[in-house]
Each structure stands twice: as C-alpha cells, then as structure tokens.
Amino acid sequence: VQVDVNLGASGNLARQILQGLPVEQFISADEAWVAELVKAGRTVDAGQRYATGQLALVVPKNSELPLSQGLVAVVHALKPNDKFAIANPALAPYGVAAEEALQRAGVRPLAASQKVLGDNIGQATQFVATGAAQAGITALALATAPEIASALQVLPLPVHLHSPLHQRMVLLQGASAAAANWHRFLLSPPAQAVFVRHGYALPQ
C-alpha cells in the first residue's frame, strides 16, 4: 500500500477536510480537531488515540545558551534581539502547549518582537535549526528526528508543564479497505513501538 501524506497544522488540515479535501484518514496532533470532523459527520467513528506528544526545548547546535539549566535559564539568557520560536497556538496544539509550558515554568513574558510563530511545529523547529531563532519549543519527536537532530541541542520538558497532548486519528467517510488496514496497523504493538522510539508516549 502506498501512503500519500499531506503534512500541515492540525487546524489547517481539519478545515481543508471540512471544505472537501479528498483524504481517507486524518492523523491529528490535537484530538479536538478530530471531534470537529466527527461532529460534521465526515468520519466513520470517533477515532482512536494513537500517541501522546511530548515537548522539547531546543537551541541550535552551536548555541551557548544554558540549555541544561532548563526553560527559565534559557529565556533569561536571551538577548533583546534574540528570537524564541513556537508553533502558532491558533493552528497547532504544540503551540498551545508551548505557551502553557512557558507560563507554568514561571518564565517572564516574551516581548512580541522576540516570539516567532511557525505555521506548524515543523516550521517552528526549522526556525531554530537554521539559526533564525535562538531557541524554541517543539515536539520531542520532531527534535530528535534523524534529519534535523544534528542541527539541534535538545532538552525534553517535564510533562507537568502542559496539558496532555493527546493525539487522535480517524478514518473519513468513504475510506478504502487499504486505508482501514493501514489505520489498524498504526494501532498495533509494532507501530506503537515505533512511536515510542521516536519520542512519543503511548496513548492515555
């Protein structure tokens, strides 16, 4: 089975599906967007949780910011013109969680000129990996992915700093038998082992 993947922020993808984007499965980092599709009658059922996301604080590989000392120390060490990247909270659940983490950690509010918002978690991570931002909060799974890990220093953040990032997937009306088989595979122990290996926790 060939799986064609359309990547984007959960909110953007859900809106596109509501507008008729022809897809068979929606894998969302935010289960609230799955609920929107369920409510609109676009899905075969309420979907299933497949993983729980985790956050990471990241800085560029050559950064001298005190990453090992944690979130407060890194933000405190930022210079006035430095940038801090997160995903846009209006579009991506990891952006909401990042703002919660900053708040719960007791970090001083970032100046508007310091905060850089990515359209999705991938773009926010790229801002840091390329040095366009001096620090940021991203998904642990993304920060440790082989294609980007070499450009970053990574510190997993404590889960108590944010609400759980329950991730849910759902089959859409008209999904093929091949899509249903793929969906079942993603819930199987071998697939869950892959999720855990790449920085996710098992569904709660």
Side-chain angles (χ1 to χ4, degrees), residues 56-61 63-75 77 84 128 134-137 152-157:
L57 177 63
V58 291
V59 299
K61 197 69 171 181
S63 174
E64 295 183 3
L65 288 169
L67 182 70
S68 63
Q69 296 176 34
L71 191 51
V72 174
V74 166
V75 174
F84 192 95
V128 182
Q134 283 63 49
I137 295 175
L152 298 171
Q153 298 178 53
V154 181
L155 178 71
L157 289 176

Side-chain angles (χ1 to χ4, degrees), residues 29 52-58 85-87 93-95 97-98 120-122 124-125 136-145 148 152 154-157 162 165 167 198-200:
T52 301
Q54 302 184 78
L55 291 183
L57 177 63
V58 291
I86 65 171
Y94 280 92
N120 53 55
I121 197 65
T125 309
I137 295 175
T138 184
L140 177 62
L142 193 52
T144 55
I148 203 165
L152 298 171
V154 181
L155 178 71
L157 289 176
H162 59 89
L165 284 156
Q167 308 200 173
H198 288 277
Y200 292 96

Side-chain angles (χ1 to χ4, degrees), residues 28-29 31 49-55 94 139-141 159 162-168 192 195-196 198-204:
S28 179
E31 61 182 358
R49 286 180 180 171
Y50 64 92
T52 301
Q54 302 184 78
L55 291 183
Y94 280 92
L140 177 62
V159 294
H162 59 89
S163 303
L165 284 156
H166 295 312
Q167 308 200 173
R168 184 174 288 262
Q192 289 191 325
F195 284 127
V196 170
H198 288 277
Y200 292 96
L202 291 178
Q204 298 171 8

